[in-house]
């Protein structure tokens, strides 16, 4: 039995575990509520039929980055830490299966479960946009692709954090704080320094919505300098599409290497 | 089939959890691994199952280094370490099937493994709802399912009720008959006496003894017997029997006799009692030899 076959087998059973778990259903419920909110608010306060298909689709895609963060948290936050805390590691680790196979088998299952949620969300947006405009703009599919790349990358980063801890709840809370507060604060503060936050994954994820801006894809300013007064200069950066992808890919590779090394060395004390 | 520790050492800071363990167990048998809490028993088993990395030395299974050739080393090993938990939304049948498929095991029998531990009727229920004892049974089934030739068991009856404990001991006895090497840690001296062929004792990370259990039992045999009879036992008359050093009259029909030699004297005392007209219904050594060995070599409380 080679490592790849073992990874697929483990991943399949993990996915089954995720599908039956409450977490998936809670996340689907949140997704459903958000969809209902977008549809009802737009119907009540706006007029989707009178706007462009691109505008309608972009309204839907605007929640996608937050959904991806939630998905990564739900399926990755405590994924590895729980193996230690819940002692499931005692069941699986003393078998002829390499640690990285377990790590990436579980990652694939999380990705499949998380991807399912993102796809369901985008499918709803497709139906919604098509209902009003009888077409779906090509930018929407790019947005979906970027959202999936963001999921792949953020989940890898989340797994990396999860390998650092032995307590699932601690891992989950710390990762939530990082994603919802720390990264956003850094992105905000950095605007005052004039430095492009090329090192921030949430900055890179802006391409999910930026793709809708301008007359064609990528038609938006990379750098905007504002002078709101009192000698303050605010520099707003928007990542190029290729740049956003490169940053996310960088996060994927680096966090994958670190999490693999950490999990290989980690002991079940 | 063999397990071998070569100068196996595990250190946490300045504390030695295991200090240069040299131990080899080979062939179809059960080896009981005894020691007080913190002696290094579980550490040893975790080093043999790749859950810990040694600070020094090597753990070998069937000649393969657990650290360097993990897949080959663990291929013929079934393990039960501590009380593992399981993915809560999977059933016992799914968990064991997954394990079989991951191991690529050709000798897998999920049904038989679940039947052996008395969990077959629960095969389609989600494990998340099981009690600790039920999970321990599933964990043992997981160790058995691929039909491995070596079993590494860490206190396998932990968390079980008395019936469960008896059933698991029966399973282990059956396993011995099917030509396997069982390396089992335990706090329960009676369990090891009942089930194992060899005993290894460990304290403060150092191996104190590794011998066949018969040898240990003979060496540490207790020199006190307790006699129960149907009629009254005359304690004074017993004192006259050769080799008897003390007689404690517990009741009219029960006495505890101390003697100063081995099995020959023990037999002679019984013969003399019969000749004196005592209707003996029970004649047994007081205190287990293994407990005596444990207390002499390690000291402290035993369960």
């Amino acid at each position: 039995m080679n490592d790849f076959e073992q990874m697929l087998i483990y991943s399949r059973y993990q996915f089954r575990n995720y599908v039956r778990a409450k977490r998936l259903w809670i996340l689907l419920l949140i997704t459903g509520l958000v969809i209902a909110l977008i549809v009802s608010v737009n119907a009540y306060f706006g007029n989707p039929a009178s706007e462009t298909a691109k505008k309608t689709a972009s309204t839907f895609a605007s929640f996608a980055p937050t959904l991806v963060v939630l998905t990564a948290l739900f399926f990755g936050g405590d994924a590895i830490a729980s193996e230690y805390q819940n002692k499931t590691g005692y069941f699986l680790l003393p078998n002829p299966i390499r640690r990285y196979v377990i790590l990436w088998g579980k990652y694939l299952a999380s990705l499949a479960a998380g991807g399912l949620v993102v796809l369901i969300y985008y499918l709803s947006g497709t139906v919604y946009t098509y209902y009003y405009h009888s077409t779906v703009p090509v930018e929407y599919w790019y947005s979906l692709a970027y959202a999936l790349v963001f999921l792949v990358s953020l989940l890898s980063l989340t797994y990396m954090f999860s390998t650092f801890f032995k307590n699932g709840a601690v891992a989950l809370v710390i990762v939530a704080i990082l994603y919802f507060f720390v990264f956003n604060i850094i992105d905000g503060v950095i605007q005052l320094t004039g430095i492009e936050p090329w090192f921030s994954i949430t900055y890179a994820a802006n391409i999910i919505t930026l793709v809708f801006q301008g007359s064609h894809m990528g038609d938006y300013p990379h750098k905007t300098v504002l002078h709101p007064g009192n000698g303050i200069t605010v520099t707003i950066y928007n990542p190029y599409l290729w740049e956003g992808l490169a940053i996310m890919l960088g996060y994927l590779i680096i966090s994958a290497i670190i999490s693999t090394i950490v999990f290989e060395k980690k002991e079940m004390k | 089939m063999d397990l071998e520790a070569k100068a196996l050492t595990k250190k946490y800071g300045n504390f030695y959890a295991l200090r240069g363990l040299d131990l080899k167990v080979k062939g179809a048998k059960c080896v009981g691994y005894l020691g007080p809490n913190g002696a290094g028993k579980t550490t040893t088993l975790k080093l043999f199952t790749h859950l810990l990395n040694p600070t020094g030395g090597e753990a070998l299974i069937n000649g393969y280094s657990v650290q360097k050739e993990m897949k080959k080393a663990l291929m013929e090993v079934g393990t039960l370490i501590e009380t593992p938990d399981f993915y809560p939304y999977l059933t016992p049948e799914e968990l064991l099937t997954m394990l079989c498929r991951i191991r690529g095991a050709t000798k897998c029998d999920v049904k038989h493994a679940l039947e052996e531990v008395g969990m077959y009727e629960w095969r389609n229920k989600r494990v998340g709802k099981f009690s600790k004892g039920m999970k321990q049974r599933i964990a043992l089934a997981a160790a058995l399912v691929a039909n491995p030739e070596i079993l590494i068991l860490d206190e396998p009856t932990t968390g079980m009720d008395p019936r469960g404990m008896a059933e698991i001991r029966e399973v282990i006895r059956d396993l011995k008959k099917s030509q396997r090497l069982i390396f089992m840690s335990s706090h329960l001296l009676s369990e090891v006496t009942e089930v194992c062929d060899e005993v290894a004792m460990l304290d403060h990370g150092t191996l104190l003894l590794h011998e066949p259990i018969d040898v240990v039992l003979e060496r540490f045999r207790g020199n006190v017997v307790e006699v129960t009879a149907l009629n009254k036992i005359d304690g004074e008359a017993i004192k006259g029997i050769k080799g008897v050093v003390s007689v404690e009259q517990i009741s009219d029909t029960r006495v505890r006799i101390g003697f100063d030699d081995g099995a020959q004297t023990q037999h002679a005392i019984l013969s003399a009692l019969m000749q004196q007209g005592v209707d003996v219904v029970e004649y047994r050594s007081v205190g287990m030899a293994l407990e005596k060995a444990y207390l002499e070599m390690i000291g402290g409380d035993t369960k």
Side-chain angles (χ1 to χ4, degrees):
Chain A
M1 177 69 58
N2 67 43
D3 289 354
F4 186 67
E5 283 174 306
Q6 284 184 317
M7 194 184 291
L8 290 183
I9 292 165
Y10 176 59
S11 187
R12 199 173 305 159
Y13 281 94
Q14 265 300 327
F15 181 70
R16 199 178 291 184
N17 189 49
Y18 282 142
V19 166
R20 291 175 189 168
K22 284 181 193 139
R23 279 186 193 196
L24 177 67
W25 300 103
I26 291 170
L27 193 57
L28 285 174
L29 181 70
I30 292 170
T31 308
L33 288 174
V34 169
I35 292 167
L37 197 69
I38 291 172
V39 170
S40 54
V41 167
N42 268 6
Y44 194 76
F45 294 105
N47 185 5
S50 67
E51 61 193 27
T52 62
K54 204 157 94 171
K55 174 76 177 76
T56 307
S58 77
T59 305
F60 231 90
S62 62
F63 179 69
T66 309
L67 181 65
V68 170
V69 171
L70 280 175
T71 304
L73 274 177
F74 271 58
F75 295 113
D78 59 351
I80 298 301
S82 66
E83 292 284 341
Y84 292 85
Q85 190 189 8
N86 300 338
K87 294 187 174 182
T88 44
Y90 285 123
F91 164 64
L92 201 63
L93 297 180
N95 280 286
I97 178 168
R98 294 185 203 287
R99 295 278 179 97
Y100 84 89
V101 171
I102 296 172
L103 177 75
W104 295 109
K106 199 163 191 175
Y107 172 85
L108 285 180
S110 299
L111 189 62
L116 186 70
V117 175
V118 173
L119 284 175
I120 287 172
Y121 179 75
Y122 268 86
L123 183 68
S124 309
T126 307
V127 172
Y128 180 72
T129 309
Y130 193 84
Y131 174 78
Y132 283 110
H133 305 286
S134 301
T135 182
V136 179
V138 69
E139 288 87 351
Y140 190 70
W141 306 120
Y142 275 92
S143 174
L144 168 61
Y146 295 152
L148 290 176
V149 174
F150 183 42
L151 178 65
V152 168
S153 175
L154 194 71
L155 201 56
S156 175
L157 184 67
T158 313
Y159 262 66
M160 184 192 80
F161 285 122
S162 190
T163 58
F164 293 161
F165 302 100
K166 285 191 172 178
N167 183 307
V170 171
L172 207 61
V173 169
I174 287 178
V175 174
I177 290 170
L178 275 173
Y179 291 170
F180 284 112
F181 299 105
V182 177
F183 276 118
N184 286 332
I185 290 169
I186 290 171
D187 290 353
V189 170
I190 213 83
Q191 289 182 353
L192 301 172
T193 66
I195 300 167
E196 184 186 2
W198 54 265
F199 42 82
S200 166
I201 193 169
T202 45
Y203 168 69
N206 286 333
I207 62 171
I208 295 169
T209 49
L210 283 170
V211 74
F212 292 101
Q213 287 195 12
S215 57
H216 58 270
M217 275 192 288
D219 178 28
Y220 53 82
H222 174 60
K223 181 181 177 183
T224 309
V225 180
L226 303 172
H227 300 284
N230 296 328
I232 297 170
T233 303
V234 176
T235 312
I236 298 170
Y237 279 98
N238 288 318
Y240 298 115
L241 296 179
W242 64 264
E243 187 188 13
L245 282 173
I247 293 169
M248 289 194 268
L249 198 64
Y251 265 91
L252 169 67
I253 293 168
I254 292 167
S255 54
I257 292 168
I258 294 172
S259 53
T260 303
I261 292 169
V262 172
F263 192 47
E264 286 283 346
K265 301 265 179 214
K266 200 164 182 175
E267 296 187 320
M268 195 89 191
K269 285 176 189 165
Chain B
M1 48 191 151
D2 62 83
L3 294 172
E4 186 175 9
K6 281 184 178 171
L8 195 58
T9 302
K10 183 65 187 175
K11 208 175 161 190
Y12 297 104
N14 291 324
F15 172 72
Y16 279 93
L18 200 63
R19 192 189 291 261
L21 177 72
D22 285 306
L23 175 71
K24 183 163 186 173
V25 290
K26 191 174 182 177
K29 64 178 73 149
C30 175
V31 181
Y33 199 42
L34 292 173
N37 291 332
K41 301 186 301 293
T42 302
T43 300
T44 309
L45 302 192
K46 285 182 176 179
L47 287 165
F48 269 112
T49 51
H50 201 238
L51 291 168
L52 294 178
N53 301 313
T55 312
E58 208 170 14
L60 301 161
I61 299 177
N62 289 335
Y64 296 113
S65 163
V66 174
Q67 283 67 45
K68 292 173 190 155
E69 296 174 282
M70 183 272 288
K71 281 183 90 167
K72 284 180 182 167
L74 294 180
M75 191 49 81
E76 278 300 331
V77 181
T79 57
L80 167 55
I81 307 289
E82 297 202 356
T83 302
D85 213 330
F86 305 95
Y87 303 119
Y89 297 96
L90 297 182
T91 66
E93 194 164 43
E94 287 170 334
L95 285 162
L96 298 196
T97 306
M98 176 182 82
L99 216 53
C100 281
R101 297 188 61 198
I102 281 175
R103 295 178 71 108
T106 51
K107 306 175 281 183
C108 257
D109 192 342
V110 172
K111 183 171 182 270
H112 180 68
L114 287 171
E115 278 175 346
E116 276 228 88
V117 299
M119 291 298 290
Y120 185 65
E121 63 182 296
W122 297 89
R123 66 190 179 282
N124 291 322
K125 305 281 180 207
R126 291 182 187 177
V127 179
K129 291 170 184 165
F130 287 3
S131 69
K132 192 181 173 193
M134 290 164 88
K135 285 180 182 172
Q136 186 76 351
R137 285 167 185 260
I138 297 297
L140 186 58
L144 302 177
V145 71
N147 207 11
E149 58 185 35
I150 298 173
L151 282 160
I152 296 176
L153 309 175
D154 183 22
E155 298 178 14
T157 53
T158 297
M160 290 193 169
D161 56 28
R163 198 182 105 189
M165 289 166 94
E167 285 173 6
I168 296 304
R169 280 180 205 141
E170 197 53 46
V171 169
I172 295 169
R173 266 190 228 102
D174 285 346
L175 288 169
K176 265 172 59 180
K177 288 177 201 159
S178 56
Q179 296 297 302
R180 292 175 214 237
L181 171 59
I182 302 165
F183 190 55
M184 179 180 95
S185 79
S186 181
H187 274 310
L188 305 173
L189 304 180
S190 57
E191 187 171 87
V192 171
T193 310
E194 210 178 307
V195 175
C196 292
D197 309 292
E198 286 180 7
V199 62
M201 282 189 196
L202 189 76
D203 194 22
H204 293 106
T206 306
L207 187 70
L208 304 176
L209 170 153
H210 175 213
E211 285 178 9
I213 206 152
D214 292 344
V215 173
V216 178
L217 293 179
E218 184 57 40
R219 181 143 48 104
F220 293 92
R221 182 183 292 279
N223 286 350
V224 177
V225 288
E226 201 170 283
V227 184
T228 307
L230 287 175
N231 51 353
K232 189 178 175 188
I233 305 172
D234 182 358
E236 288 304 313
I238 294 168
K239 282 179 184 168
I241 299 172
K242 193 184 170 198
V244 170
V245 293
S246 67
V247 178
E248 182 191 347
Q249 191 89 38
I250 300 167
S251 68
D252 281 353
T253 56
R254 279 177 73 193
V255 287
R256 189 170 290 155
I257 304 167
F259 54 96
D260 62 2
D261 211 343
Q264 294 294 333
T265 307
Q266 193 172 338
H267 174 69
I269 291 168
L270 179 61
S271 300
L273 286 169
M274 305 288 272
Q275 280 169 14
Q276 286 177 10
V278 178
D279 298 329
V280 176
V281 290
E282 192 179 13
Y283 186 82
R284 64 181 179 88
S285 291
V286 176
M288 287 164 44
L290 195 56
E291 184 174 69
K292 196 176 168 203
Y294 185 96
L295 290 172
E296 280 188 20
M297 302 210 68
I298 293 169
D301 296 331
T302 56
K303 283 185 183 177

